[in-house]
Amino acid sequence: MATKHEQILDYIETLAVGEKISVRRIAKELQVSEGTAYRAIKEAENKRLVSTIERVGTIRIERKKKENIERLTYAEIVKVVDGQVLGGRAGLHKSLNKFVIGAMQLEDMMRYTEAGNLLIVGNRYKAHEYALQAGAAVLVTGGFDASDQVKKLADELELPVISTSYDTFTVATMINRAIYDQLIKKEILLIEDILIPLENTHFLHIKDPVSRYNELNNETTHGGFPVVDSNGRLVGIVTSRDVIGAADGETIDKVMTKDPITVSLQTSVAAAGHRMIWEGIDLLPITDDHHNLMGIISRQDVLKAIQTAQRQPQQGETIDDIIKSQLTLVQEDKLSLEFRVTPQMTNAYGSLSYGAYTMVLTEAATVALKTKNRKDSVLENITVYFLKPVQLDASLTIRPAILDISRKSAKVDVEVLYEQQVIGKSMLTFQLLDR
């Protein structure tokens, strides 16, 4: 039987997109405490089922698929620009596909404004009205208000009119930044992207005999399986090591490993892979907040996902990407790289920041490991010596050298030079992923 928490989430999913939700309403309609209702609404927000907007409240939104994440809703725009909704609240859940800057003559402005757009403009009341009639929402900059007629029209058409105190240029920059950040998020592989779903997952029940494990093992050659109770909650995991010497009639709950390590759907693939290497496990169950089994991933799934992601074109650029782009291989036989310090990598004093410096060392060591055909590795430990400050636009020489490498780990020494003088050194230890 579903818990009250699960019942509330199921109820929220049945609500129409754009409908308002409150703790008091949920508590009254489902006869639960306000504390239980509040926790469930917060989880619904994490699952992107609802969105809470200041001065508006919590509304049911359309769950966006990850491939369309670069398309923002008007509700998200309100958050980005710290805006106030003047009218058309019922349309906050809708997505915008383009924004138009209203810095031209009215006729020209309307030529570029279409349904699903967001017109960013100051106190030009005719432009507000024409944009709504064209099917576009309006963002009024400079803290200006809209006319009562425009507010009424916005409510009728369910198209938001939003006011913000920022100027037009700042608003456009903020929205661009929000879209850019979401493009970066889109590229981060999560467990939900590679999950083997429950209907395709082989698992055992606690009262199954060991002979059932042997049957599944012969059938699938997976080696390990999650174990669930009668309610579908994960209680253990069983592998070939657990069943050695066990009689066929012995029940799984007597031989399984209890309280296995688990991850959620929103865990990144990189974090899950690191955990599997660190703990020395080949199978990782995925559970929800109530410990219900949702699926599994294997070490092979993680490796394949990481290798596939490395081949994909990058749309968003992180600080790490910027740093990697400045590393250039200049000598292969006696490995040597060049690196230029750009403004994004500096601290308040105009010298190379400690974080950027650490990333340079890590990436240089990774390049060295790739020369030994070790394409996938996870940094385990780093010892850094920062001997002299490095100024903006400085061109550094990086010399990584592998000191020791085995099947599972490697030690790399990295030397950093500026104008032929050593200005930093580092020792890095990596865990190597089995190919």
Side-chain angles (χ1 to χ4, degrees), residues 235-350:
V235 291
I237 196 162
V238 61
T239 66
S240 55
R241 289 192 295 270
D242 298 315
V243 300
I244 292 173
D248 281 354
E250 198 164 356
T251 53
I252 289 296
D253 60 334
K254 297 290 193 300
V255 298
M256 70 182 185
T257 300
K258 296 178 181 177
D259 301 319
I261 296 163
T262 64
V263 292
S264 72
L265 290 174
Q266 297 305 308
T267 304
S268 73
V269 170
H274 193 286
R275 192 86 187 267
M276 293 173 89
I277 295 163
W278 191 261
E279 301 288 350
I281 54 179
D282 295 316
L283 195 71
L284 203 52
I286 291 87
T287 59
D288 62 15
D289 291 343
H290 309 289
H291 226 56
N292 294 312
L293 181 66
M294 302 188 74
I296 57 167
I297 57 165
S298 67
R299 189 184 287 225
Q300 287 76 20
D301 297 327
V302 171
L303 260 178
K304 185 178 177 183
I306 290 172
Q307 288 166 352
T308 302
Q310 288 171 350
R311 293 193 291 268
Q312 300 303 310
Q314 300 296 303
Q315 290 177 293
E317 198 172 34
T318 64
I319 296 296
D320 285 7
D321 294 328
I322 293 168
I323 289 169
K324 288 176 187 177
S325 69
Q326 294 300 320
L327 269 174
T328 310
L329 186 65
V330 292
Q331 194 174 337
E332 284 193 42
D333 51 345
K334 208 173 178 182
L335 194 58
S336 181
L337 301 105
E338 276 190 0
F339 177 79
R340 190 177 68 83
V341 180
T342 65
Q344 298 99 321
M345 305 170 200
T346 56
N347 58 24
Y349 305 106

Side-chain angles (χ1 to χ4, degrees), residues 73-302:
T73 63
Y74 296 119
E76 288 165 326
I77 293 295
V78 174
K79 287 184 178 179
V80 169
V81 301
D82 191 25
Q84 180 181 356
V85 181
L86 303 178
R89 282 186 172 86
L92 285 169
H93 65 278
K94 297 176 181 176
S95 294
L96 66 132
N97 51 36
K98 188 176 76 171
F99 59 92
V100 179
I101 306 294
M104 56 189 89
Q105 292 293 329
L106 186 61
E107 294 77 14
D108 295 327
M109 201 188 305
M110 288 307 104
R111 195 182 307 155
Y112 289 100
T113 307
E114 301 169 347
N117 291 180
L118 176 68
L119 176 65
I120 302 172
V121 69
N123 58 340
R124 299 174 68 178
Y125 299 119
K126 276 293 178 189
H128 300 170
E129 187 178 338
Y130 287 180
L132 290 171
Q133 289 170 345
V138 178
L139 178 55
V140 185
T141 59
F144 292 109
D145 201 351
S147 68
D148 291 339
Q149 183 182 344
V150 163
K151 293 176 187 176
K152 185 181 176 184
L153 184 61
D155 289 335
E156 288 173 3
L157 298 175
E158 295 187 354
L159 287 168
V161 174
I162 305 158
S163 176
T164 177
S165 58
Y166 297 112
D167 62 80
T168 302
F169 175 78
T170 304
V171 163
T173 305
M174 292 166 83
I175 295 173
N176 259 325
R177 179 74 255 178
I179 294 171
Y180 193 72
D181 286 348
Q182 296 215 38
L183 282 171
I184 292 172
K185 285 182 187 177
K186 179 184 172 184
E187 291 170 356
I188 298 172
L189 278 174
L190 302 179
I191 292 299
E192 66 181 356
D193 299 319
I194 67 166
L195 169 76
I196 299 171
L198 191 60
E199 57 268 24
N200 297 330
T201 299
H202 295 89
F203 55 88
L204 294 163
H205 291 87
I206 49 175
K207 294 305 176 185
D208 281 341
V210 168
S211 59
R212 175 60 184 149
Y213 166 84
N214 293 329
E215 288 172 14
L216 269 184
N217 192 28
N218 291 334
E219 183 184 327
T220 65
T221 67
H222 287 173
F225 304 96
V227 183
V228 299
D229 63 14
S230 57
N231 295 316
R233 287 181 170 81
L234 182 76
V235 291
I237 196 162
V238 61
T239 66
S240 55
R241 289 192 295 270
D242 298 315
V243 300
I244 292 173
D248 281 354
E250 198 164 356
T251 53
I252 289 296
D253 60 334
K254 297 290 193 300
V255 298
M256 70 182 185
T257 300
K258 296 178 181 177
D259 301 319
I261 296 163
T262 64
V263 292
S264 72
L265 290 174
Q266 297 305 308
T267 304
S268 73
V269 170
H274 193 286
R275 192 86 187 267
M276 293 173 89
I277 295 163
W278 191 261
E279 301 288 350
I281 54 179
D282 295 316
L283 195 71
L284 203 52
I286 291 87
T287 59
D288 62 15
D289 291 343
H290 309 289
H291 226 56
N292 294 312
L293 181 66
M294 302 188 74
I296 57 167
I297 57 165
S298 67
R299 189 184 287 225
Q300 287 76 20
D301 297 327
V302 171

Side-chain angles (χ1 to χ4, degrees), residues 16 31 57-58 60 101 115 141 146 155 260 336 358 370 393 417 433:
Q31 296 183 325
T58 303
R60 173 78 165 92
I101 306 294
T141 59
D155 289 335
S336 181
T358 305
K370 285 179 180 177
D393 288 329
L417 298 95
L433 280 72

